[in-house]
Amino acid sequence: MEIRKPKGTNDILPEEVRKWHAIEKTAMELSDVYGYQEIRTPIFEHTELFVRGVGETTDIVGKEMYTFEDKGNRSITLRPEGTASVCRAFVENKLYGDNQVHKLYYMGPMFRYERPQKGRYKQFHQYGVELLGSNHPVTDAEIISFATELLKKMGLIDLELQINTVGCPVCKPVYRQVLIDFFSEYKEGLCPTCNERMEKNPLRILDCKNKECIEIAKEAPSMTEHVCEDCGPHYESVKGYLDAADVDYTENPRLVRGLDYYTNTAFEIIAKDFAAQGTVCGGGRYNGLVGSIGGKDVPGIGFAMGMERIILLLSEKNIFKDSKKILDYYIIALGELEEIPAFALLKKLRDHSYFAEIDYTGKNFKNKLKYADKSGAKSVIIIGENERKNKTVMIKNMETGQQEEIDLQLFINNLKEER
Ligand code: ATP
Ligand code: MG
């Protein structure tokens, strides 16, 4: 029986990979402009990292992790997100030593056990950034404006940036109790999951996708009414900096984000006409995270973008121009004796960075010419018995159809001059 890929994974075929290259390049170039350096961490980590760093009450840790025991009986998890790993690497490699702000980015596959659907997969890819070492509200604004700018540069339009504050260890517990008191009145109306969330993580009820829960949550008191004297001004400041940078935003008091370690600013960027899986970027401040995984108390803020969702949106809008590379030369050797000089010439062309191919397929001249035509090459180089003996090549310009016999050495010398 034919073996198929696991559900929720994707083969990214060459034509599609070209689109990936385009957005990866944009991401890397803008990372340079904003001063973020790449960090690469392992695809799997000790399960404990995510349990502590993401939080036991989250959907990710509760339901979505790919966890297994390895042959040494260690509990291992395929990374479901990047922030915990980056913070672990930050602590483990003592990058905090110099009291500087550290700006890192990562790109790569993440794994979550989810029900696959359009824009939602079990293996998906994220580009994400982390800014560690500062709690200054200007860093919140820098991260947010970087995210919006990057999506714009990639070609996405009609995006909505939503922001909120989720408080800190001082005001979050107070708000938590306010929410528990509020939602307790509506226990029957809430879905079973939200009833479970009530005690463990009532903020998540605000984030529930269930219709009845949404209706009830609309009336819930908002965090902004309960922020402490640190968090209130911090949030106001962030908005001030966003205004200064001309970043448009909508305040959404129900935006909480799925992860436990978020403090203060939370934000999401949503594609308006892509309803269900429309969130392309999520981020926020996580001042408690580095400390919780055993490091010093280092504040941080970051975001992660879903690359598949970005590509889906861009493809639907036909943003990608075909960037397929056009062949410079297609070489045809007419007989067996001509194959050696043809292969030597192929190597010379590639040495000079020309995109060149040799005919591996054709049986006779007519056939070979047909393939040459199909290849879309700008020029075809033909080496027959005559050319071999005369040490020349026949060059056919495929645009004009003109043919010309040129001395082989002269042709090679000219290559050097051209590039
Ligand atoms: P959602 O509410 O859609 O499940 P999330 O809050 O779980 O998103 P984050 O953990 O914030 O998502 O991840 C950041 C981004 O990564 C998301 O905004 C989304 O674009 C992308 N993403 C998350 N999970 C998936 C997935 N299973 N498949 C594809 N992309 C995903
Ligand atoms: Mg999710």
Side-chain angles (χ1 to χ4, degrees):
M1 212 178 63
E2 188 187 332
I3 299 173
R4 305 241 165 178
K5 63 183 159 55
K7 273 215 173 70
T9 64
N10 293 299
D11 294 318
I12 308 172
L13 302 178
E15 209 143 291
E16 202 64 15
V17 169
R18 288 206 292 275
K19 299 178 181 177
W20 285 76
H21 285 169
I23 64 164
E24 286 165 1
K25 188 164 169 257
T26 308
M28 288 195 277
E29 283 172 0
L30 209 65
S31 302
D32 278 346
V33 172
Y34 279 74
Y36 290 79
Q37 289 181 298
E38 186 177 0
I39 181 165
R40 299 187 184 189
T41 62
I43 299 284
F44 60 87
E45 297 269 4
H46 292 296
T47 302
E48 184 63 15
L49 173 67
F50 303 113
V51 173
R52 271 207 260 162
V54 179
E56 251 164 318
T57 63
T58 58
D59 283 350
I60 292 184
V61 173
K63 303 189 242 174
E64 299 173 356
M65 291 207 300
Y66 273 90
T67 299
F68 59 95
E69 250 182 37
D70 72 3
K71 289 184 170 36
N73 301 324
R74 298 169 200 91
S75 181
I76 295 293
T77 294
L78 300 185
R79 62 179 189 191
E81 58 101 53
T83 305
S85 303
V86 171
C87 291
R88 187 220 21 88
F90 178 78
V91 172
E92 194 164 340
N93 297 285
K94 299 193 172 49
L95 299 181
Y96 48 76
D98 52 11
N99 275 330
Q100 293 262 318
V101 164
H102 296 268
K103 295 162 61 164
L104 302 164
Y105 79 84
Y106 58 86
M107 204 150 50
M110 306 293 162
F111 306 85
R112 295 185 194 176
Y113 198 82
E114 296 202 70
R115 199 168 61 79
Q117 46 198 299
K118 191 175 174 192
R120 187 176 297 283
Y121 313 100
K122 293 183 169 179
Q123 175 174 339
F124 62 100
H125 297 73
Q126 286 183 337
Y127 165 83
V129 314
E130 316 295 348
L131 188 154
L132 293 154
S134 173
N135 188 38
H136 197 296
V138 77
T139 57
D140 302 45
E142 147 153 355
I143 282 279
I144 296 172
S145 70
F146 179 20
T148 55
E149 198 52 39
L150 179 52
L151 293 168
K152 230 186 269 171
K153 279 246 152 59
M154 286 174 175
L156 286 183
I157 38 169
D158 291 333
L159 297 177
E160 182 175 77
L161 163 67
Q162 298 188 350
I163 62 168
N164 191 24
T165 177
V166 295
C168 70
V170 173
C171 49
K172 211 175 184 174
V174 177
Y175 180 54
R176 202 175 166 272
Q177 194 53 50
V178 169
L179 282 184
I180 294 176
D181 293 345
F182 172 83
F183 285 119
S184 301
E185 306 280 318
Y186 298 94
K187 268 191 171 147
E188 285 89 68
L190 294 171
C191 72
T193 318
C194 280
N195 270 292
E196 271 174 44
R197 284 171 177 151
M198 189 84 77
E199 291 306 319
K200 286 195 256 165
N201 194 349
L203 265 77
R204 287 299 314 279
I205 302 177
L206 299 174
D207 191 35
C208 186
K209 308 278 190 304
N210 182 298
K211 263 201 194 119
E212 284 89 65
C213 299
I214 293 175
E215 279 309 308
I216 296 171
K218 270 186 188 159
E219 303 302 320
S222 81
M223 180 75 224
T224 30
E225 295 156 25
H226 295 88
V227 282
C228 65
E229 51 194 26
D230 285 335
C231 294
H234 184 100
Y235 188 49
E236 290 308 313
S237 240
V238 173
K239 288 189 279 181
Y241 287 116
L242 288 177
D243 292 337
D246 286 329
V247 178
D248 289 332
Y249 57 84
T250 309
E251 288 184 68
N252 175 2
R254 256 155 288 282
L255 175 72
V256 290
R257 312 274 312 123
L259 317 185
D260 278 354
Y261 53 65
Y262 282 101
T263 56
N264 299 92
T265 314
F267 67 98
E268 282 189 358
I269 303 174
I270 299 156
K272 287 186 219 154
D273 47 4
F274 201 64
Q277 265 65 248
T279 309
V280 288
C281 175
R285 179 165 281 290
Y286 48 81
N287 290 349
L289 177 62
V290 180
S292 83
I293 57 173
K296 299 206 306 190
D297 228 4
V298 178
I301 179 161
F303 66 73
M305 292 179 173
M307 316 255 292
E308 281 81 357
R309 291 189 193 177
I310 294 172
I311 288 185
L312 266 172
L313 280 167
L314 293 175
S315 300
E316 275 182 14
K317 294 197 186 317
N318 268 329
I319 302 275
F320 293 106
K321 293 183 276 313
D322 194 12
S323 57
K324 196 172 174 182
K325 266 199 87 186
I326 296 172
L327 207 51
D328 294 314
Y329 289 105
Y330 190 91
I331 306 177
I332 296 177
L334 287 185
E336 239 171 80
L337 287 176
E338 284 77 49
E339 281 175 2
I340 295 274
F343 191 68
L345 178 59
L346 177 70
K347 174 71 168 43
K348 281 268 180 328
L349 286 167
R350 288 175 175 167
D351 285 348
H352 288 85
S353 305
Y354 283 92
F355 178 26
E357 287 288 6
I358 198 160
D359 185 275
Y360 302 108
T361 46
K363 295 177 201 83
N364 51 41
F365 184 50
K366 209 175 134 204
N367 218 297
K368 286 176 197 238
L369 260 187
K370 204 179 91 193
Y371 282 115
D373 202 34
K374 238 176 119 180
S375 78
K378 292 180 212 157
S379 303
V380 177
I381 300 177
I382 302 159
I383 306 179
E385 198 183 343
N386 275 344
E387 287 81 11
R388 173 169 55 83
K389 286 185 175 153
N390 300 342
K391 295 203 183 331
T392 58
V393 283
M394 184 67 82
I395 313 270
K396 182 173 180 186
N397 182 319
M398 297 302 274
E399 250 170 59
T400 60
Q402 272 178 341
Q403 248 172 247
E404 191 186 2
E405 193 176 347
I406 306 179
D407 179 77
L408 176 62
Q409 198 51 52
L410 190 70
F411 175 69
I412 292 169
N413 290 348
N414 283 348
L415 286 181
K416 279 182 200 151
E417 280 165 29
E418 268 178 42
R419 295 225 162 172

